[in-house]
Amino acid sequence: MAAMSRLSRAELQSLMGLISHRSVRGMAGAAQAAVDVGDWSLPIPLVEDLQKHNQGRGPQWVFLGCPGVGKGTYASRLSKLLDVPHIAMGDLVRNELKGSSPLSRQMSDTMKAGKLLPDKVIFSILSRRLEEGLAAGEKGFILDGFPRTMRQAEILEDVTEVDLVVNLKLREDVLISKCLGRRICSQCGGNFNLAKIDVKGEDGAPNIFMPPLLPPPSCASKMTIRADDTDEVVRARLRVYHEESAPVEDFYRIRGKLLDFNVGGGIRETWPNLLEALNLTHKAKEAFQQKLVA
């Protein structure tokens, strides 16, 4: 497989043709049987090992997880720590939605119904972003919100080499509350959340406490709600995720690249635990000392 840093412009442009005729491979019987065994204890690659594996590029990671689990929050922090771009599929799609073309309107209608966008549309948007990154000299990436389906995962595997997949997990009632509490400042574009999560754990599960992320006074009167953050649409998106995207977890698990991580609190509680799970505590300390990460 070609690494993204070596992917040519022609190869990126061929993505659309690949989607048009490529058939989806099924998992082999042995692989499917391995999935049924249950959770595996998998080694987590160190950043240094990944860089030695392919000199000249940074880590190439993927973040999975239900809508509202916090993929963007943690992926953006890690991108600063690892000095690679954070490519959020949701942000790319929302930028497309700002247009007034027939495609933009069709995309908007699809998302408001809680459905996934067609693979052809997604890869068109992503390939354009990757081309721009290559031209700017980017090496490595953290993909957030992509791939969402088995078809997308298999096509991505043909195009590039993913080193690690971080699968963020959070109970569904908390996810719904978080999504319904999201707000965006219409002036600065900042993301905030009015939801205060304080859930007592049951059957041995830990308590979950997430304080609200309130806007500053300058933004308080400019809060807007995303069109797809309604109770009906959020539940539809979660249902679609479990039906279409959850199998992607097994796709990467059988390849030894999946790290399941339970989000058990707010950013202050979760961030150190995630760094430890990724073997990045030492790198975070170095970055803090150099004032690279707030």
Side-chain angles (χ1 to χ4, degrees):
M1 287 182 289
M4 186 64 71
S5 58
R6 298 195 301 271
L7 200 61
S8 69
R9 179 178 297 270
E11 288 173 318
L12 281 169
Q13 292 174 336
S14 71
L15 274 173
M16 304 314 299
L18 180 65
I19 296 168
S20 299
H21 70 266
R22 189 184 187 283
S23 61
V24 180
R25 300 189 303 269
M27 285 191 294
Q32 181 62 58
V35 171
D36 295 336
V37 171
D39 293 336
W40 300 349
S41 177
L42 301 172
I44 307 302
L46 289 168
V47 172
E48 289 80 3
D49 294 336
L50 300 178
Q51 292 173 335
K52 290 177 182 178
H53 175 68
N54 191 344
Q55 293 287 346
R57 73 160 172 88
Q60 298 182 167
W61 291 7
V62 165
F63 264 66
L64 298 180
C66 291
V69 75
K71 297 185 295 294
T73 298
Y74 299 106
S76 61
R77 283 192 167 218
L78 283 170
S79 73
K80 296 177 183 177
L81 185 65
L82 302 178
D83 194 25
V84 296
H86 167 216
I87 302 177
M89 201 64 232
D91 290 343
L92 297 182
V93 168
R94 280 186 284 277
N95 287 335
E96 289 291 323
L97 291 174
K98 294 178 181 178
S100 58
S101 67
L103 175 60
S104 298
R105 291 192 292 271
Q106 186 176 6
M107 289 171 58
S108 178
D109 292 341
T110 300
M111 292 184 64
K112 287 178 181 178
K115 299 178 181 179
L116 294 180
L117 293 171
D119 291 335
K120 184 175 182 179
V121 173
I122 292 296
F123 269 97
S124 175
I125 297 171
L126 178 61
S127 62
R128 187 192 316 155
R129 169 63 182 83
L130 294 176
E131 282 191 14
E132 293 170 354
L134 286 173
E138 290 180 352
K139 297 182 178 180
F141 55 74
I142 296 181
L143 288 179
D144 161 11
F146 183 89
R148 293 282 299 273
T149 66
M150 284 287 292
R151 183 177 181 83
Q152 291 177 1
E154 291 186 333
I155 296 174
L156 182 63
E157 186 177 61
D158 282 347
V159 175
T160 189
E161 181 176 3
V162 172
D163 302 313
L164 178 67
V165 178
V166 181
N167 183 34
L168 299 182
K169 306 176 76 173
L170 186 62
R171 44 188 282 181
E172 188 163 305
D173 58 333
V174 174
L175 283 168
I176 293 173
S177 296
K178 284 191 64 183
C179 287
L180 297 182
R182 292 193 293 199
R183 298 292 186 274
I184 301 174
C185 177
S186 59
Q187 180 172 318
C188 72
N191 291 282
F192 306 97
N193 201 302
L194 308 183
K196 179 180 180 180
I197 309 297
D198 191 359
V199 179
K200 292 185 178 180
E202 300 177 354
D203 299 326
N207 298 336
I208 300 178
F209 177 73
M210 299 181 181
L213 180 59
L214 301 176
S218 58
C219 297
S221 63
K222 306 177 182 67
M223 293 293 96
T224 60
I225 303 175
R226 283 171 39 173
D228 56 342
D229 276 348
T230 66
D231 185 80
E232 180 181 0
V233 172
V234 168
R235 291 181 186 276
R237 290 169 64 202
L238 290 175
R239 182 172 63 253
V240 169
Y241 178 83
H242 290 301
E243 292 173 353
E244 300 289 339
S245 300
V248 177
E249 299 174 14
D250 289 336
F251 178 86
Y252 287 113
R253 183 175 285 113
I254 64 176
R255 287 160 175 74
K257 296 182 178 181
L258 190 78
L259 169 66
D260 286 316
F261 182 82
N262 291 307
V263 178
I267 184 69
R268 291 185 179 180
E269 297 83 10
T270 302
W271 177 242
N273 294 333
L274 180 59
L275 290 175
E276 184 176 356
L278 293 171
N279 294 318
L280 290 176
T281 303
H282 65 291
K283 194 172 187 66
K285 290 180 178 178
E286 294 173 0
F288 181 78
Q289 293 171 354
Q290 298 173 14
K291 298 182 180 180
L292 294 178
V293 177

